[in-house]
Amino acid sequence: MLQVDVDYLKKAKKRRDYSGIVIIVFLTLAGIVSFLPLIYMVSTAFKPPEEMFLYPPTFFVRNPTLQNFSDLTTVTSNSLVPFSRYLFNTIVITIAYLFCLIWVDTMACYPLSKHKFPGHKVLFKTVTTALMFVTAAAGIPSYLIITNLHLDNTWLVYIIPGLASTTILFLMKQFMDQVPNDIFEAGKIDGASEWKLYTKIALPLLKNAQATAVILSFGGIWGDSATSNTYIYEEQMRTLAFFMGTIGGNIARTGATAVSSLIMTLPSIIIFVIQQSRVMDTMAHSGIK
């Protein structure tokens, strides 16, 4: 009987080993497939013009060249507004937006999670309901509000409308729910004010959630060209994404367009690679699978 059990356990272990190998192979293939668009983007940025228009198209570059980067430099040097101005606008707007986003959403998630004030459940359900609506559905109301508040043609139009992010607020609130209430109760016993509880306890504990919020929001603000198109009337106040979008539309600039796409994509990828461990930790503690 003991021998039978041992044989059964050996067979079960072998089956588990095979299943593990299958999972590893599947995940490896899925990872390679997910990287293919990025590899193709990098490859295209180094392709000479004759390779870009080959049929059937080639995935990898055969004769790499830096001519596309030179073409992009030529295009940017001939623009009415210096390239450095677009880059400066984008960097300042991105940093200001992410900083304000973290403060607004952490200040909102703390009372929602740790204070049972009247109507807090209704308020949170309203937030979760708002997750169902896409941004385009609120396009006309947003336009009317922004213009009536005279935010158009200012840097504030890039920052203020996106601060109340329901996705980020939901993520942070779920993360904060995992923090034991005893920590805050101990702080209150020691005489800490609500502001100190927020700044000295809540904010440090939300570091991973903050990093995740930055990663999820960075791509949207860095690559935002719609705001410049819709609300900005002066060229010197527009962003890099808008300028890069104007490079296309000309066959002679195909190489420069490929390089501009790479430039706009790489920062988001770099930030995600650096902070990916924090993202995984946040998702695990927020109940998001």
Side-chain angles (χ1 to χ4, degrees):
M1 182 66 179
L2 181 60
Q3 184 63 34
V4 174
D5 291 341
V6 171
D7 292 341
Y8 175 79
L9 291 174
K10 288 182 178 179
K11 291 180 181 179
K13 183 178 180 181
K14 187 177 293 186
R15 285 197 298 269
R16 288 197 298 271
D17 291 341
Y18 286 143
S19 64
I21 293 173
V22 171
I23 292 173
I24 292 173
V25 170
F26 174 77
L27 292 177
T28 302
L29 292 175
I32 293 173
V33 171
S34 65
F35 266 102
L36 290 180
L38 177 60
I39 296 172
Y40 181 76
M41 184 183 298
V42 174
S43 176
T44 303
F46 291 92
K47 284 182 179 180
E50 58 271 16
E51 286 191 35
M52 290 188 177
F53 300 103
L54 283 178
Y55 185 83
T58 57
F59 189 85
F60 294 104
V61 58
R62 297 174 181 174
N63 301 301
T65 178
L66 295 176
Q67 184 60 41
N68 297 331
F69 293 86
S70 177
D71 292 343
L72 179 62
T73 303
T74 303
V75 172
T76 56
S77 62
N78 293 332
S79 64
L80 296 176
V81 177
F83 177 81
S84 57
R85 178 66 185 186
Y86 292 112
L87 183 60
F88 174 77
N89 291 350
T90 302
I91 292 175
V92 171
I93 290 169
T94 300
I95 293 175
Y97 171 77
L98 294 176
F99 178 80
C100 294
L101 176 75
I102 295 300
W103 273 101
V104 169
D105 287 344
T106 52
M107 289 181 72
C109 82
Y110 168 62
L112 274 177
S113 176
K114 299 305 176 185
H115 291 273
K116 308 304 179 184
F117 55 88
H120 76 279
K121 290 184 178 180
V122 175
L123 183 58
F124 184 64
K125 286 181 180 179
T126 304
V127 171
T128 55
T129 303
L131 291 171
M132 298 188 297
F133 296 94
V134 295
T135 305
I140 294 177
S142 297
Y143 180 84
L144 294 175
I145 293 172
I146 288 170
T147 53
N148 286 329
L149 291 176
H150 303 292
L151 298 178
D152 51 325
N153 207 38
T154 67
W155 277 1
L156 295 178
V157 74
Y158 293 101
I159 300 171
I160 292 179
L163 292 184
S165 172
T166 53
T167 303
I168 301 302
L169 177 56
F170 176 81
L171 188 71
M172 288 190 172
K173 194 268 181 186
Q174 296 300 97
F175 190 91
M176 179 59 74
D177 285 346
Q178 308 301 318
V179 179
N181 294 331
D182 295 343
I183 297 177
F184 296 95
E185 293 297 332
K188 290 178 182 179
I189 293 174
D190 291 339
S193 63
E194 289 294 341
W195 180 250
K196 281 192 175 181
L197 292 176
Y198 164 68
T199 56
K200 301 298 184 182
I201 299 178
L203 274 182
L205 291 175
L206 284 170
K207 280 185 178 179
N208 289 342
Q210 294 173 42
T212 303
V214 168
I215 292 171
L216 294 179
S217 305
F218 177 85
I221 188 65
W222 178 262
D224 180 20
S225 61
T227 302
S228 293
N229 259 322
T230 308
Y231 300 108
I232 302 298
Y233 318 125
E234 298 178 17
E235 191 67 26
Q236 64 268 22
M237 296 189 65
R238 286 173 166 155
T239 57
L240 184 62
F242 172 84
F243 174 69
M244 291 299 191
T246 62
I247 295 176
N250 190 331
I251 294 178
R253 294 180 177 178
T254 303
T257 304
V259 175
S260 65
S261 299
L262 179 62
I263 292 174
M264 295 304 299
T265 305
L266 278 180
S268 299
I269 296 174
I270 292 172
I271 290 177
F272 177 78
V273 170
I274 294 174
Q275 299 288 348
Q276 62 175 331
S277 60
R278 293 181 180 271
V279 177
M280 296 300 104
D281 185 71
T282 302
M283 295 306 179
H285 285 83
S286 299
I288 300 177
K289 305 298 182 182

